[in-house]
Amino acid sequence: MQSQHAAKRPASPSSDGPLVDVGQAEAALVEHYPRLVRLAYLMLPPEQGGRSRRVLTAHALVQRALPRGRTAAPAIPAQPRQSADGRAAHAARSGRRPDRAARPARADDEDGGPGYALVRLQVVRTALRACPSRRRGARRRRAGLSALPPLPPLLPQVWGLRLFPRSGGAEELALEQRLSALSGPARAAWVLRGPERLSDDDVRAVLTDAGAADAAGALREADRVPAEYRLLGSPAFDPCSLQARPTDLVRRRRRLKAALAAGAALVVCGALFGLPDDGWGPDGAAAPPYALNRAAQAALDPGKLTRVSPAVWKSSARTDFSVWPARGDLAGDTGLLRRALAVWARPGERVRVSATPGTPSGGPAGPPQLLYAGTVDNARVVILHDGLRITRYAEPLDGAEGAALDFARVDGADRAGASALVLGRSDGNVRYLTAPWIRSAGARDLREPGADTADLSLTDGVTSPLAGPVPKPGSCTSWNVLELTDDTGTRLVTDLGELVPAVLTSGRPGKAGEAGEAGEAGEAGEAGEAAGAEALRTWSPFACSLASMRSAGVRSVNAWAFAEQPLPDASGSAAWVCTRAETWQGGGTRVLAQFHTPGAPVGAVAARAEDVPQCGEREPRVLAGVLWKSGAGTWYLLAAGSRGTTSVTATGGIEGTAQGNLLTLEAEQGAQADLEGTLENGDPVTGLR
């Protein structure tokens, strides 16, 4: 018969309450997992099974707390806030002084919502079932039997290790002993009232829903333990921060020998019932499957891949990867697409995975867009797009090991940035997949600005092989780039070892309408495509500097000839060029100030910097200097600033000032100097280092 003090069972969960599906409950469980495990750990009987068994049982109770389907949430709020007056009143009822430092502020003090309330109720219910009944123990004592604790269950278990929280101090040990003297419902009431911040009425409702026979009695029993909730911040009560120690090593060795013998017998028996296949299962090189939610399962279904019509780009306001059609001779191969999606979601240990800086490599959040699936040289290649990334999956034609998975970030891609992708590299050659708006493609050597472009064939958007830009160490005689033509003009892109080639531009950085007057070197206006004759001449001596920007997630590289400086001793004129590499992730930009003298095969790097605004759209100005030796054997400090620099000053090992944007001073070999400039508006500009 139920006690007269038991709280009346509330109406929730009921059909009138909000329905919680498995996804909501899982999200609440994952977000508040440490909080729920500590709740279960504190409610379990401390004296049963030891701390290691108690930790594992607490984790198991929480992980089994998900509902099987849509379930009505309990009417109990996830974590109502008690006012200071309410806490003081409760302390007065329990005969205790309010503990002002009992509940420190923390991130999980926010309301967990109906999903959390439902999971918490299930944790409390299962924890109470795991507690031994005092009535059952009393009956055994009256019958003359010893009240032995029940044997611990076989599972859960961590083989070879014992896991347990760190030891606490005297206060933590005293609190542990006080809690062990309480019944299971009383411990639950103490925890729900304290860390969970529930009122007494809500505690009664939760305990009643969880199956406690006397919720009011549990609250009265919990009043015997002081509200020292501040101690719960100690590692002694944190079942997610654990120590590990080995189990019995001798016994484990004997069991291992027995397990090996049994495993050998199973292998022999298994060989009699099956024959080996070709090594490629339904999921190919993917790791073994694990439980997935519905969204993740939909992302792995080849039938739900997004396929864009070939004519969409013609009428779309966007010109990026989202309007690329699905192409390739294997676009209908369901098995290949399934393997690509499975490896993307869970790549196996032998899959080679690479990602550009700042690119996440996790699985797709939903069904991605198919851009290409086909045969490229000696591999089957699948190209997918999920709005943020381009993902390339490649597997050998013979089905042997060697699958590869590559990621590249492409959010914010424009028409130029979405003009081509790298399909594959073989024997020093590169094949590209071009955008549907590309009309023709060609190969050009950036080191030879006057040479003609070699035409490349386009088959369903795929180019014929193009020799990649691979300069030899210590020398750089050529740098091959891809020239693409569409209805808006011609642009150059170059392979920097990633999925998306970098776009090459030339000119003064700045938005349209912000550029300076034309007429001086490099000041012809907004940075534009590098396919023009003047831009090609600007790039020619500095093409090989692109090798320093490989595998850095580079989106575009601009070359700006910001000054031309007469050389002393009638040595001709030198060109100052600033190259700036922008990345897809925004940060990690690389700036090089380069100096080229007449007759030199390539330019020399005078200064370099990362993550600076100079030479970019936000700050289209630059100042740099270099020590130069003339043909007569005299050393000079040469410095140049961009347009708008009215004076340049050198201090330190070399001192001097010149009006205008050019400075020439005699110097000694190895001398060092700091450069400062002044702009037309009076602002200072510091030399790039």
Side-chain angles (χ1 to χ4, degrees):
M1 179 175 179
Q2 186 175 355
S3 170
Q4 60 181 349
H5 300 292
K8 184 180 179 181
R9 191 176 185 86
S12 63
S14 69
S15 58
D16 296 333
L19 292 178
V20 178
D21 59 20
V22 179
Q24 289 177 279
E26 181 187 17
L29 189 150
V30 172
E31 181 179 359
H32 301 284
Y33 185 82
R35 177 177 167 186
L36 290 166
V37 173
R38 185 177 65 175
L39 180 68
Y41 180 79
L42 291 171
M43 286 190 295
L44 289 171
E47 73 280 3
Q48 185 177 358
R51 290 196 300 165
S52 178
R53 168 59 52 185
R54 184 178 167 199
V55 164
L56 296 179
T57 303
H59 282 271
L61 293 183
V62 174
Q63 293 178 18
R64 291 200 297 264
L66 289 179
R68 296 185 180 275
R70 293 177 64 84
T71 306
I76 313 305
Q79 195 172 22
R81 302 177 182 274
Q82 279 190 334
S83 65
D85 294 339
R87 290 194 297 271
H90 164 67
R93 288 196 304 270
S94 60
R96 292 177 282 111
R97 297 179 60 186
D99 186 3
R100 298 182 180 272
R103 303 180 181 96
R106 56 184 188 187
D108 62 1
D109 280 346
E110 298 299 328
D111 187 357
Y116 175 74
L118 178 61
V119 174
R120 181 184 60 194
L121 175 61
Q122 183 63 20
V123 170
V124 175
R125 179 180 292 124
T126 54
L128 291 180
R129 290 174 183 171
C131 296
S133 171
R134 291 191 173 183
R135 293 182 179 179
R136 184 168 62 248
R139 287 196 299 267
R140 290 178 59 87
R141 284 190 295 270
R142 285 195 298 268
L145 301 175
S146 60
L148 294 176
L151 293 176
L154 178 62
L155 295 176
Q157 183 62 270
V158 176
W159 301 109
L161 288 177
R162 292 186 298 112
L163 304 175
F164 48 90
R166 297 182 180 276
S167 300
E171 291 181 299
E172 288 84 358
L173 180 59
L175 178 59
E176 182 88 4
Q177 292 173 346
R178 293 189 185 102
L179 290 177
S180 66
L182 299 179
S183 64
R187 279 194 303 273
W190 190 87
V191 176
L192 293 173
R193 178 191 278 167
E196 287 298 296
R197 295 175 178 263
L198 295 186
S199 66
D200 285 359
D201 291 337
D202 288 336
V203 171
R204 290 190 193 95
V206 172
L207 291 178
T208 304
D209 266 351
D214 188 2
L219 281 168
R220 290 193 300 273
E221 185 181 353
D223 286 338
R224 299 204 301 262
V225 176
E228 297 176 332
Y229 301 125
R230 58 182 177 80
L231 296 179
L232 298 183
S234 169
F237 297 104
D238 186 2
C240 290
S241 178
L242 305 172
Q243 296 184 96
R245 294 294 184 271
T247 56
D248 190 327
L249 299 178
V250 175
R251 180 182 301 175
R252 195 169 73 195
R253 181 178 300 174
R254 290 198 299 264
R255 290 178 177 177
L256 178 60
K257 292 180 180 179
L260 290 176
L266 288 175
V267 170
V268 173
C269 294
L272 300 177
F273 290 97
L275 294 175
D277 55 15
D278 59 2
W280 288 90
D283 291 341
Y290 47 81
L292 299 172
N293 56 35
R294 294 180 180 178
Q297 290 174 346
L300 301 182
D301 185 356
K304 295 185 178 181
L305 284 173
T306 301
R307 298 172 185 259
V308 176
S309 171
V312 167
W313 68 271
K314 297 180 181 179
S315 57
S316 174
R318 302 179 61 174
T319 49
D320 55 16
F321 293 108
S322 66
V323 297
W324 277 34
R327 290 172 286 181
D329 58 312
L330 299 178
D333 189 335
T334 303
L336 172 64
L337 299 178
R338 182 181 300 280
R339 292 195 296 274
L341 292 170
V343 172
W344 184 358
R346 50 180 201 280
E349 294 181 356
R350 299 186 179 181
V351 176
R352 291 173 291 129
V353 180
S354 68
T356 59
T359 305
S361 57
Q369 176 187 354
L370 176 63
L371 303 186
Y372 181 86
T375 304
V376 181
D377 297 326
N378 296 320
R380 286 182 288 264
V381 176
V382 178
I383 304 289
L384 301 166
H385 176 230
D386 68 350
L388 172 67
R389 302 164 293 176
I390 292 293
T391 303
R392 179 181 64 186
Y393 168 77
E395 66 180 34
L397 289 178
D398 56 8
E401 297 181 357
L405 192 65
D406 304 304
F407 297 94
R409 184 174 174 177
V410 294
D411 53 316
D414 54 10
R415 187 184 187 97
S419 58
L421 291 173
V422 174
L423 268 185
R425 301 179 181 89
S426 178
D427 299 328
N429 296 322
V430 185
R431 285 186 186 269
Y432 295 89
L433 176 66
T434 61
W437 52 81
I438 297 298
R439 293 190 288 114
S440 63
R444 173 180 287 280
D445 185 355
L446 202 58
R447 294 282 286 117
E448 299 291 340
D452 294 333
T453 302
D455 293 336
L456 297 175
S457 63
L458 284 177
T459 305
D460 199 17
V462 180
T463 68
S464 53
L466 166 66
V470 185
K472 297 180 180 179
S475 65
C476 179
T477 58
S478 66
W479 188 276
N480 294 328
V481 296
L482 178 66
E483 184 176 278
L484 301 172
T485 302
D486 59 16
D487 294 335
T488 63
T490 301
R491 62 182 55 90
L492 300 181
V493 298
T494 184
D495 176 24
L496 294 182
E498 298 172 348
L499 281 180
V500 184
V503 179
L504 300 182
T505 58
S506 178
R508 180 183 188 272
K511 297 180 180 178
E514 295 180 353
E517 298 178 359
E520 294 189 16
E523 299 288 353
E526 180 189 9
E529 308 301 343
E534 182 179 354
L536 291 174
R537 288 192 295 270
T538 299
W539 262 112
S540 177
F542 310 102
C544 296
S545 65
L546 291 168
S548 64
M549 304 172 186
R550 294 177 63 88
S551 303
V554 174
R555 177 175 186 167
S556 63
V557 187
N558 181 62
W560 173 29
F562 64 89
E564 186 173 326
Q565 184 173 21
L567 295 174
D569 301 338
S571 301
S573 295
W576 285 92
V577 172
C578 182
T579 56
R580 179 182 177 92
E582 301 285 356
T583 65
W584 287 99
Q585 62 175 329
T589 57
R590 302 186 180 187
V591 177
L592 300 179
Q594 303 190 68
F595 179 75
H596 182 241
T597 57
V602 295
V605 176
R608 67 179 73 229
E610 293 188 7
D611 292 324
V612 295
Q614 286 91 340
C615 198
E617 183 178 301
R618 295 180 58 185
E619 192 173 327
R621 60 188 183 188
V622 64
L623 172 64
V626 68
L627 282 178
W628 176 79
K629 183 179 181 181
S630 69
T634 305
W635 285 91
Y636 293 91
L637 170 64
L638 305 178
S642 55
R643 176 190 291 274
T645 304
T646 58
S647 66
V648 179
T649 301
T651 58
I654 308 171
E655 296 188 355
T657 301
Q659 299 301 311
N661 68 326
L662 302 176
L663 171 70
T664 302
L665 296 174
E666 287 194 18
E668 296 182 358
Q669 183 179 2
Q672 296 183 355
D674 295 324
L675 296 176
E676 293 287 340
T678 304
L679 301 178
E680 292 176 343
N681 59 4
D683 290 344
V685 57
T686 304
L688 197 67
R689 301 183 67 88

